[in-house]
Amino acid sequence: MTGRVARAATGALVFVLLALAWEAVSRAGVFPPKLFPGLGTVATTLLRLGADGTLLVAAGATLFRLFFGFLIAAVVGVVVGILMGRHAWFEDTLLPIVSFLYPIPGLAYAPLFVLWFGLGDVPTILLVGVASSFTVIINSWKGVKSVKVIWIRSAQSMGANDRAMFIKVILPAALPYVLTGLRLGLAQAWRILVAVEMLMSVTHGLGWLIFGSQQFLNTDVMLSSIVVIGIVGMLLESQLFERLERATVVRWGMMSA
Amino acid sequence: MSAKGRPEREYRSAQHEGTPVSAAAIIRHRRFYRGALGVAVLLACWEFFARSGMYSKAITPPLESILRQLASMIADGSILLHAGATMLRVFVGLAIALAIAVPLGMLMGRYPLWERLLRPVVSVFMPIPSLAWVPLVVLWFGIGNVATVLVVVYASVFPLLYQVWAGVRAVNPLWVRAATVMNANASQLFGLIIWPAALPFIITGLRLSFGRAWIAVIGGELLASPNWGLGKVIFDAAEFLNADVMLAALIVIGAIGLFFERVVFQALEAATVERWGMATSASR
């Protein structure tokens, strides 16, 4: 019991030090107080925006875009990745294109998407989908390629048809990689989305809240939004995929938790 | 092994063409032509779309004007200066991130106290996208190098720290014990055992961090628009609806990213971890 308390105390220690440093910088007047508010101001703003629903609406709008953008990335990524892994023809034809487009930051397309599709939700969702699909493609492809040949051969010799082979052997065997790809893709979509919202002049959204507050030097609002972004990001990572992994690949003994 | 045991494909091709061609060479050939076909089809689709007049040519320029734009930007050297400014920010940012992440990651991996101190902080700050900080950092430090480099540092420090930490924990405990028994002091232990043993992880971390930094620097330049940089080129081109300039800049961004991923980091891995036999060559 005391061990746990001591552990929590050491964990909290750095936060206390960071908070003290923040307060010190804020009070020393290195920056104008409007630009570097004290923690009390930030906490009050956070509570006020949380209570009047501003943060809730913004987070909802961002999550809505994240959901549809990631849906595009997941469907396109898994389908293309599996096709590339299964058929040499797809692999040979698409791999050069995928490997050239993969290292281009999705955000760099943002102004181009504005030219093509205008402003608002549609280009934002499309861009997030395109940008995060490459990670899913690459991981799904690697997953299918890494299926043990001996499993395929033994299924074949036991008379599995294409359908059974795909559903009972290839898909489950590739699933750890596919899930890793989806997890990385979601994280990437989340990171890009916040910035895309700043460039696409959408209405509502956490990125929009930060960018809009910059005009009025509302740093307390910006910091409150960043806090919410951190919390949502953490929940997405720890709640969604860890559960999914525990329910599938960990339970099947293909990965240790 | 008898001739019967040779791979069938090799045998057949030797019969057809009179010279022995290995199966691997055939696959390489096939890969090249199919890859070229894929790229050609994509470019042809773009060209058709661009010339069909569905959108104005200013918005979807044909390949010829993109290439001409790219050539003129290379000829007058402006794209090189922009790319140089972007690369410099990435390198300075990565260097700072390395200087922070390597010592902290080693301490966290080796001493439980440091892990308990720093782990909560890392897990709180890691999920915040670096680009969310841009407007705030711009208010504090103004538009320019400080803001963009800070964003790069924030983006790259966490993957690096995570990998160093994991790498140190993955060091074979037997080596550490053997070194301790042989009276290695702390600096020898870190310098001669832990550092080289954790290096494969650190290089992986560097690779991941470069990818993150590359996204962050372009985003930072788009949002904070300093005087130079590839993100700035795209941002400016958007003001004047110069889609050909934007696409030319995108080609440069993709080429640099591919060069680092395929050439620089693979050479780095070949020169260090593969040569020391710590890891097998990464798949293509």
Side-chain angles (χ1 to χ4, degrees):
Chain A
M1 195 61 205
T2 45
R4 194 183 280 176
V5 172
R7 191 165 288 193
T10 28
L13 184 66
V14 179
F15 287 103
V16 174
L17 287 177
L18 279 178
L20 285 177
W22 180 279
E23 276 300 313
V25 173
S26 167
R27 297 199 183 207
V30 183
F31 295 101
K34 184 79 180 141
L35 293 189
F36 209 100
L39 288 175
T41 321
V42 177
T44 325
T45 311
L46 186 61
L47 284 178
R48 181 170 55 81
L49 294 179
D52 73 5
T54 312
L55 287 172
L56 213 61
V57 171
T62 302
L63 283 174
F64 166 82
R65 289 178 199 120
L66 182 74
F67 176 77
F68 284 102
F70 180 64
L71 193 66
I72 296 176
V75 172
V76 172
V78 171
V79 169
V80 173
I82 286 179
L83 281 177
M84 277 172 67
R86 284 293 279 159
H87 304 288
W89 203 90
F90 268 98
E91 181 181 353
D92 294 343
T93 318
L94 289 180
L95 197 60
I97 299 171
V98 170
S99 14
F100 184 78
L101 294 180
Y102 180 55
I104 299 180
L107 209 58
Y109 298 111
L112 210 56
F113 271 55
V114 172
L115 279 189
W116 289 343
F117 306 108
L119 295 164
D121 279 339
V122 176
T124 310
I125 289 170
L126 274 178
L127 181 57
V128 168
V130 169
S132 45
S133 63
F134 290 102
T135 312
V136 186
I137 293 180
I138 299 246
N139 279 286
S140 310
W141 166 63
K142 281 193 178 154
V144 175
K145 298 290 274 189
S146 73
V147 178
K148 287 201 180 106
V149 182
I150 197 151
W151 295 351
I152 297 178
R153 288 212 192 121
S154 44
Q156 257 166 356
S157 64
M158 285 187 274
N161 55 17
D162 276 359
R163 211 185 131 94
M165 172 76 83
F166 183 73
I167 292 177
K168 296 200 169 147
V169 181
I170 304 222
L171 209 55
L175 205 58
Y177 283 82
V178 174
L179 284 181
T180 305
L182 289 175
R183 177 188 213 147
L184 292 173
L186 183 68
Q188 200 172 8
W190 175 245
R191 281 199 301 271
I192 292 172
L193 176 58
V194 172
V196 173
E197 284 185 342
M198 299 183 190
L199 291 165
M200 294 285 196
S201 50
V202 292
T203 48
H204 304 302
L206 292 166
W208 165 82
L209 200 56
I210 294 180
F211 201 62
S213 313
Q214 193 194 18
Q215 312 286 329
F216 307 104
L217 304 183
N218 283 333
T219 35
D220 47 349
V221 179
M222 296 164 95
L223 286 164
S224 306
S225 318
I226 289 177
V227 169
V228 176
I229 287 173
I231 293 170
V232 176
M234 214 152 69
L235 289 179
L236 283 176
E237 175 73 13
S238 65
Q239 292 302 307
L240 205 60
F241 273 97
E242 269 177 24
R243 270 160 205 247
L244 197 59
E245 270 174 8
R246 242 178 285 144
T248 54
V249 285
V250 174
R251 199 160 69 96
W252 302 338
M254 307 187 57
M255 230 163 87
S256 54
Chain B
M1 201 188 259
S2 69
K4 236 180 165 181
R6 272 196 294 170
E8 206 188 337
R9 204 177 289 180
E10 189 183 337
Y11 178 66
R12 234 193 273 150
S13 67
Q15 250 188 352
H16 275 290
E17 291 161 37
T19 49
V21 181
S22 71
I26 293 176
I27 290 178
R28 254 201 316 276
H29 250 80
R30 199 191 67 195
R31 229 170 231 162
F32 177 78
Y33 286 116
R34 283 182 180 170
L37 179 73
V39 174
V41 167
L42 186 75
L43 293 180
C45 284
W46 171 266
E47 192 67 10
F48 176 77
F49 179 71
R51 296 199 184 265
S52 72
M54 277 170 72
Y55 285 105
S56 118
K57 270 191 188 163
I59 294 180
T60 53
L63 293 173
E64 186 209 343
S65 65
I66 299 173
L67 288 179
R68 202 183 301 139
Q69 191 61 247
L70 185 62
S72 83
M73 287 197 296
I74 291 173
D76 70 7
S78 63
I79 197 81
L80 299 177
L81 284 176
H82 286 297
T86 302
M87 293 312 305
L88 194 66
R89 289 186 189 119
V90 171
F91 286 141
V92 173
L94 275 182
I96 297 173
L98 262 177
I100 297 171
V102 170
L104 285 185
M106 284 195 159
L107 289 173
M108 280 172 76
R110 188 85 187 98
Y111 305 112
L113 178 67
W114 281 90
E115 184 178 334
R116 255 178 283 150
L117 274 175
L118 293 177
R119 198 178 166 167
V121 183
V122 172
S123 53
V124 161
F125 284 97
M126 194 156 69
I128 302 176
S130 54
L131 291 168
W133 294 98
V134 174
L136 201 61
V137 171
V138 165
L139 283 186
W140 288 342
F141 301 104
I143 283 166
N145 283 327
V146 179
T148 37
V149 168
L150 269 181
V151 174
V152 171
V153 172
Y154 192 92
S156 50
V157 77
F158 292 111
L160 206 49
L161 184 64
Y162 212 80
Q163 289 293 323
V164 177
W165 177 33
V168 172
R169 280 184 309 168
V171 174
N172 190 340
L174 213 59
W175 300 347
V176 176
R177 267 186 245 154
T180 323
V181 165
M182 286 187 273
N183 260 336
N185 58 28
S187 75
Q188 282 170 324
L189 192 65
F190 275 107
L192 297 175
I193 311 288
I194 294 178
W195 163 257
L199 205 57
F201 284 81
I202 296 174
I203 289 177
T204 306
L206 210 54
R207 196 174 204 156
L208 291 173
S209 292
F210 179 82
R212 292 278 185 88
W214 195 228
I215 296 174
V217 77
I218 300 292
E221 287 173 355
L222 275 173
L223 290 166
S225 57
N227 289 328
W228 295 93
L230 292 168
K232 168 73 172 168
V233 174
I234 294 180
F235 189 81
D236 281 351
E239 307 273 282
F240 303 105
L241 296 182
N242 284 332
D244 46 354
V245 177
M246 285 159 122
L247 285 161
L250 276 176
I251 292 175
V252 175
I253 291 172
I256 295 176
L258 196 64
F259 173 75
F260 270 88
E261 179 69 19
R262 282 303 156 83
V263 182
V264 176
F265 282 110
Q266 244 163 44
L268 196 62
E269 276 180 359
T272 53
V273 289
E274 275 167 39
R275 203 159 68 96
W276 303 339
M278 318 263 329
T280 51
S281 164
S283 58
R284 64 169 186 145

